[in-house]
Each structure stands twice: as structure tokens, then as C-alpha cells.
Amino acid sequence: MPRAIWKGAVSFGLVNVPVRLYAATGEHDIRFHQVHRTDGGRIKMKRTCSIDGEEVSYDEVAKGYESPDGKLVVLSDEDFDDLPVASGHEIDVLQFVPVDQVDPMMLSKPYYLEPESRAAKPYALLREALTATDRVAVVKVALRQRESIALLRVRDKAIVLQTLLWPDEIRAAEFEVLETDVELRPQELTMAASLVESLAGDFHPEEFEDDYAVAVKKLIDARLDDADAAPAALADEDASGGGARGGEVVDLLTALQRSVERARGGSGASAPAEVADDDAEGSSRPAARKSATAKTTAKKATAKKTATKQTAAKKTTTKKTTAKTTTAKTTTRARKSA
């Protein structure tokens, strides 16, 4: 099981159940990179301005909304910080509803809830209550920069938190053809029902397989033995170091981008509660970067002072040597005159 992505508590009535949240699903798709066909080099996607064509750094990127009539509203980080968001600590139970009242179209991403060791009993109490009453709990929770409604339901011995789409996020099936009157003869209905019955059975998802993913995996495995090592990336044109240094800059910017995006999930002190342990670690990276920059600046300043002192010392030594030479010449001339 991967690391928890969220920590909080389920609150219903006077019962409070501390829990950790884990992603309950993961896609099995094989991930590909875009590469140059001739030499295998990775393709970089750069942010460029559509007006002047210049590359734009991440700290110059803002969020903009364009209205249907072409007007543009640009929002800053401070604008989003002032927006209200729900507490990231609580999963508030709003009501318990029958399972069949939830439209499957609303179901979104599922997560497992793991109880803290001290909360095993109230966790089991909630689980068994949901099972006995054949109901699910409707809750409100703040996850990953947005507030969501969700369900608490039981799967085996675990309680699953399943986020839901908001009603206005589900589109209506507005097709004119569906309004057409269609005449169905009794014989046709009987034959259709007979066909359904002939293919009827119980659903066992483990009996099905993603044939395409299996074929892609076999194709890659067959070519891995003869494959060459991935080419090392060259340094960026503006980079003064080698290829590895250029790669580190890209990785660092990506890590900072993810940390900043996750840390902006809430306003003020509530934001850290909505991020995971790894998010907290990620959010400390900008501070580490500033610290490293400060240390580098301090080292440069020290080196500069040292170089200045060494230069001054050299000048003093040169002056002393010149003075000694002048004195020696004067003494020699005086002796010759005598």
C-alpha cells in the first residue's frame, strides 16, 4: 500500500474516528515518453507566450479566465488564498441514505480509510452500522485543492470514501433522436429479452482482461533484450554545467510546482491539513532551496572578502619589495660617490 495522501477524522454524532486516506485504485496503463525518433532523446515541452513567442518561467504563470465575450480575468495566488475552503481535518457525516438512491453516474474516485490504532473499535462500529442498515454515509471533505461531497461505504472489512461529482457536473443526454417515437413490436421485445437471458450471468470482473495492455507489455518485453541504453540528455543552451545539471533543474522545478499546487489547497493555516506527509516534505523543498541559495551567497561573499584580503596583501608586499630595492640602489650610489 502506498503512503497516505491525507490524514483526518470521520465525525458522526459524538463519535470521532481518526483515519488515513489511501488511493484505492491505480491504472495499469504502460506509460510512454515522447522521444526523438532518430536518436531517442526525450522531448521537452516548454511554456511559451502566444503573443511574443518567448519562453515563460513558472513564477510568471498565473490563472486566467476568459469569458464567452472575450474578456480576460487574471487571478493571483493571493486571490485564491482569500477564498473559503472546508477544513482539511474533518470528514463530516451529513446524513445516511439508502444505497439505491445514489446515481452511479455521480461516483468518482474511491479511497480506502485506514483507522488509527486507537480508533479500531469506533471504525468497526461505523462499518457494521452501515452494513446492518444497508445505507451509505453522505459526507463533505476537502481533498486536493477542492471541496467535495462523498460517500462512506463498506468494501470487505474496509470503509471506502468515494468522491462524487456535483450535480451540475453531470451532463444531460440531450439528443433529438431520443425524442423520436419508435414502434416496438411484441415479437421484437420477446426476442431481445431472450437474447439477454441467453447471455445472463453473475459478474466476476477478475474473469476479464485488458487484451491491449497485455499485448503492449509482450511487445515491450520482446524488444527489451536487444534495446540500447537510453541516451543521456545534453545540457540546455543556457546552462553552464553538464547534462545532469540541466536535468536536475527540470526535476526541481517539477517538484516545486507540485508542492506549490498541493500547498494552495486551503487558505491560511488550514492548507497544511489538506496535504499528505509526502506533500509536507515537498512543501519544505522551497525553503530548502532558499537555504541553499543563502548558503551559496554567503560562500561567494566570504570568497570575495578573502580574495580582496589576498589582493591587498599582495599589494602591500609589492610596495615593501619596491621600497627595499630603492633603498639598496641609494646605498650603492652613496658608496660609489665616497
Side-chain angles (χ1 to χ4, degrees):
M1 184 66 68
R3 297 182 65 182
I5 63 174
W6 184 91
K7 288 183 180 181
V10 178
S11 176
F12 64 105
L14 298 178
V15 180
N16 190 273
V17 188
V19 293
R20 298 188 183 93
L21 195 73
Y22 297 86
T25 59
E27 295 181 355
H28 61 215
D29 289 346
I30 297 175
R31 301 299 177 90
F32 292 97
H33 300 296
Q34 289 188 333
V35 298
H36 191 189
R37 187 187 300 274
T38 58
D39 57 19
R42 291 277 294 274
I43 305 300
K44 293 183 178 180
M45 302 298 177
K46 295 184 177 181
R47 293 179 295 270
T48 57
C49 177
S50 62
I51 296 178
D52 57 22
E54 296 292 328
E55 186 174 355
V56 181
S57 61
Y58 181 73
D59 58 0
E60 294 181 295
V61 177
K63 288 183 173 65
Y65 172 79
E66 186 172 346
S67 65
D69 58 356
K71 294 182 179 179
L72 179 66
V73 176
V74 179
L75 300 178
S76 65
D77 296 340
E78 290 74 17
D79 293 325
F80 286 98
D81 290 340
D82 293 335
L83 297 179
V85 286
S87 171
H89 288 289
E90 295 291 333
I91 301 175
D92 292 321
V93 175
L94 305 178
Q95 58 183 165
F96 294 94
V97 302
V99 177
D100 56 8
Q101 289 186 2
V102 180
D103 183 354
M105 283 282 286
M106 297 183 68
L107 299 178
S108 187
K109 190 171 179 59
Y111 300 89
Y112 285 125
L113 290 181
E114 178 196 29
E116 299 281 358
S117 57
R118 68 182 186 276
K121 186 172 182 178
Y123 182 93
L125 179 64
L126 175 59
R127 180 188 64 210
E128 297 307 317
L130 291 173
T131 302
T133 58
D134 195 24
R135 288 178 178 262
V136 293
V138 177
V139 303
K140 200 175 246 191
V141 61
L143 289 175
R144 300 199 180 283
Q145 305 181 27
R146 62 172 298 180
E147 185 179 70
S148 301
I149 53 172
L151 298 179
L152 296 185
R153 59 185 182 85
V154 178
R155 176 181 169 83
D156 299 329
K157 292 186 176 181
I159 295 177
V160 175
L161 182 144
Q162 183 131 24
T163 57
L164 301 177
L165 298 173
W166 294 98
D168 62 349
E169 292 179 322
I170 298 178
R171 298 171 179 171
E174 298 175 345
F175 305 114
E176 291 184 6
V177 66
L178 298 180
E179 303 301 324
T180 305
D181 291 332
V182 178
E183 183 180 353
L184 299 175
R185 294 183 296 174
Q187 298 90 334
E188 293 172 334
L189 289 172
T190 301
M191 289 299 297
S194 177
L195 175 60
V196 170
E197 289 298 330
S198 67
L199 296 175
D202 295 325
F203 181 56
H204 301 288
E206 64 276 2
E207 296 177 356
F208 301 92
E209 188 174 53
D210 187 342
D211 296 331
Y212 178 79
V214 172
V216 172
K217 183 67 167 58
K218 288 181 178 178
L219 175 62
I220 292 175
D221 290 342
R223 298 191 181 182
L224 274 178
D225 292 338
D226 299 327
D228 297 327
L234 298 176
D236 293 336
E237 293 180 0
D238 297 333
S240 58
R245 183 177 179 182
E248 289 173 359
V249 171
V250 173
D251 292 341
L252 179 59
L253 288 177
T254 301
L256 289 173
Q257 177 180 349
R258 291 175 181 171
S259 299
V260 170
E261 289 175 347
R262 291 178 182 179
R264 290 175 186 163
S267 61
S270 65
E274 299 177 22
V275 298
D277 290 345
D278 52 347
D279 295 339
E281 292 174 3
S283 64
S284 67
R285 290 173 188 164
R289 184 182 181 190
K290 290 181 180 179
S291 177
T293 304
K295 290 180 180 178
T296 303
T297 305
K299 288 181 179 179
K300 288 183 178 180
T302 303
K304 186 174 181 180
K305 289 181 180 180
T306 303
T308 303
K309 290 181 179 179
Q310 291 177 348
T311 303
K314 287 182 179 179
K315 288 182 179 180
T316 303
T317 304
T318 303
K319 288 181 180 180
K320 289 182 179 179
T321 303
T322 304
K324 288 182 180 180
T325 304
T326 304
T327 303
K329 288 182 179 180
T330 302
T331 304
T332 302
R333 287 176 184 173
R335 288 178 180 174
K336 285 182 179 181
S337 299

